[in-house]
Amino acid sequence: AQKVTQAQTEISVVEKEDVTLDCVYETRDTTYYLFWYKQPPSGELVFLIRRNSFDEQNEISGRYSWNFQKSTSSFNFTITASQVVDSAVYFCALRGTSGTYKYIFGTGTRLKVLA
Amino acid sequence: GAVVSQHPSRVICKSGTSVKIECRSLDFQATTMFWYRQFPKQSLMLMATSNEGSKATYEQGVEKDKFLINHASLTLSTLTVTSAHPEDSSFYICSAFSRQGANEQFFGPGTRLTVL
């Protein structure tokens, strides 16, 4: 069975603080993809990153960085120097490669960045 | 590229009526489209997988007679909520899967359905 766990339901930080959103996944597939999406109040999902299971390099994009640790089945997301505009719900998702192209979404982490 | 649109973005209807939501892939062909439902402060829940030219595959617990899905072309899938009731009020999101290049789902902006 495949599963994505985002244990942090809600996080509040003050602007300019760094914040890490945790994502732990379970899958039996040897090849799989991991994703992060941002959902602002408007509701539209904004794609942030896709990572395949063979690429364990960490990635940095501006203030965003991702730490993929296959050994602990985690794909954590860090926002450096958070801004009010970062306030949103963030979803981690998993897609295996056996059978369907379904995504398994975590329950999401609501991030509130306070001015 | 890889733009997915949904129409309407927001709809309010009376209980007992049917509502159709369209999902279009604007610049690519999508052999597979997905329909999700999201209740307030909850995650996306997959309702069904729609393959062009064939019947949709529904997730467990989703009533296929209530949520009719048609995927008649490679760029259009429709979700019809039949005899809608207030408990069907939700945010419905579609996605289109592209096997070329990115090999990932591209999400529409969502449709907010309110049933009075």
Side-chain angles (χ1 to χ4, degrees):
Chain A
Q2 297 185 326
K3 186 179 178 181
V4 175
T5 301
Q6 293 181 256
Q8 304 150 308
T9 305
E10 186 167 318
I11 301 175
S12 291
V13 298
V14 176
E15 210 172 15
K16 296 184 184 177
E17 284 186 0
D18 299 346
V19 59
T20 295
L21 309 182
D22 298 333
C23 174
V24 175
Y25 62 92
E26 295 176 29
T27 181
R28 291 180 183 170
D29 290 343
T30 53
T31 302
Y32 51 89
Y33 296 88
L34 295 163
F35 303 83
W36 274 97
Y37 290 89
K38 174 182 180 180
Q39 188 177 42
S42 65
E44 183 166 1
L45 284 177
V46 177
F47 168 82
L48 296 178
I49 191 171
R50 177 185 58 148
R51 174 67 67 214
N52 76 52
S53 52
F54 293 109
D55 183 0
E56 289 195 65
Q57 277 191 329
N58 291 329
E59 177 143 347
I60 299 175
S61 176
R63 296 184 297 107
Y64 296 169
S65 62
W66 290 269
N67 185 345
F68 179 28
Q69 296 278 344
K70 219 169 171 179
S71 60
T72 56
S73 296
S74 66
F75 187 41
N76 297 336
F77 171 35
T78 297
I79 301 175
T80 303
S82 59
Q83 299 177 2
V84 173
V85 293
D86 295 327
S87 298
V89 180
Y90 291 85
F91 290 99
C92 180
L94 164 72
R95 175 170 90 73
T97 52
S98 55
T100 72
Y101 302 105
K102 294 181 187 179
Y103 283 20
I104 307 299
F105 281 89
T107 50
T109 297
R110 183 175 299 275
L111 174 64
K112 292 184 179 179
V113 181
L114 308 172
Chain B
V3 178
V4 177
S5 70
Q6 272 184 251
H7 179 79
S9 58
R10 188 180 293 267
V11 57
I12 301 172
C13 68
K14 292 183 179 179
S15 188
T17 60
S18 293
V19 175
K20 181 185 282 188
I21 302 170
E22 291 186 349
C23 177
R24 292 181 186 272
S25 56
L26 299 184
D27 50 4
F28 67 99
Q29 294 184 331
T31 54
T32 303
M33 289 185 172
F34 300 86
W35 287 95
Y36 297 84
R37 179 168 53 182
Q38 185 180 29
F39 291 111
K41 297 194 176 183
Q42 293 189 23
S43 187
L44 283 74
M45 288 187 56
L46 180 65
M47 299 175 67
T49 303
S50 166
N51 290 300
E52 186 262 340
S54 63
K55 290 184 179 180
T57 302
Y58 291 82
E59 295 299 302
Q60 196 171 9
V62 177
E63 300 174 58
K64 62 179 71 175
D65 293 331
K66 180 164 188 63
F67 298 100
L68 301 179
I69 292 172
N70 183 279
H71 192 163
S73 78
L74 288 172
T75 59
L76 173 64
S77 176
T78 60
L79 167 67
T80 301
V81 183
T82 62
S83 187
H85 288 96
E87 57 266 30
D88 298 323
S89 298
S90 188
F91 192 55
Y92 292 88
I93 304 173
C94 75
S95 72
F97 183 80
S98 169
R99 298 187 192 185
Q100 297 174 343
N103 204 25
E104 65 184 81
Q105 293 183 28
F106 296 94
F107 290 86
T111 296
R112 193 164 301 282
L113 170 64
T114 303
V115 185
L116 303 176

